[in-house]
């Protein structure tokens, strides 16, 4: 008598993957040498531990901080530009 072959039954359908846990993106941040800018860029690492919904707050904070740093550059006194030269007495 031939061996009975089991009829194929419903196969287990794998569950679709759910949202992934927050994980670092592994993006390197090269120091600029400007302490204020480097501190702002280091803040981007905070987004690595947040869900996607929390990224916007970090990005907006960093963006505003970088804008403030650039704006402050315009307010800092720089070297005094050379004034007009007196006519030479020849």
């Amino acid at each position: 008598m031939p061996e009975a072959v089991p009829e194929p039954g419903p196969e287990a359908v794998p569950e679709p993957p759910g949202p992934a846990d927050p994980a670092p993106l592994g993006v390197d941040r090269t120091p600029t040498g400007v302490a204020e800018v480097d501190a702002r860029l280091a803040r981007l690492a905070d987004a690595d531990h947040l869900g996607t919904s929390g990224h916007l707050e970090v990005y907006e904070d960093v963006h505003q901080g970088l804008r403030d740093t650039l704006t402050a550059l315009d307010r800092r006194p720089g070297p005094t530009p050379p004034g007009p030269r007196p006519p030479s007495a020849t």
Side-chain angles (χ1 to χ4, degrees):
M1 178 186 267
E3 195 171 312
V5 177
E7 289 188 30
E11 294 186 28
V13 177
E15 290 189 31
D21 290 331
L25 295 176
V27 177
D28 291 329
R29 287 175 287 280
T30 305
T32 65
V34 178
E36 294 166 343
V37 172
D38 290 342
R40 300 292 182 183
L41 295 178
R43 167 102 164 88
L44 290 172
D46 292 348
D48 287 346
H49 308 288
L50 299 173
T52 307
S53 62
H55 290 189
L56 183 61
E57 181 180 342
V58 173
Y59 295 155
E60 285 180 343
D61 181 50
V62 170
H63 182 252
Q64 185 61 50
L66 292 172
R67 288 179 60 99
D68 292 346
T69 301
L70 286 172
T71 301
L73 291 175
D74 289 339
R75 289 189 219 126
R76 290 184 186 158
T80 306
R85 293 183 174 198
S88 55
T90 342

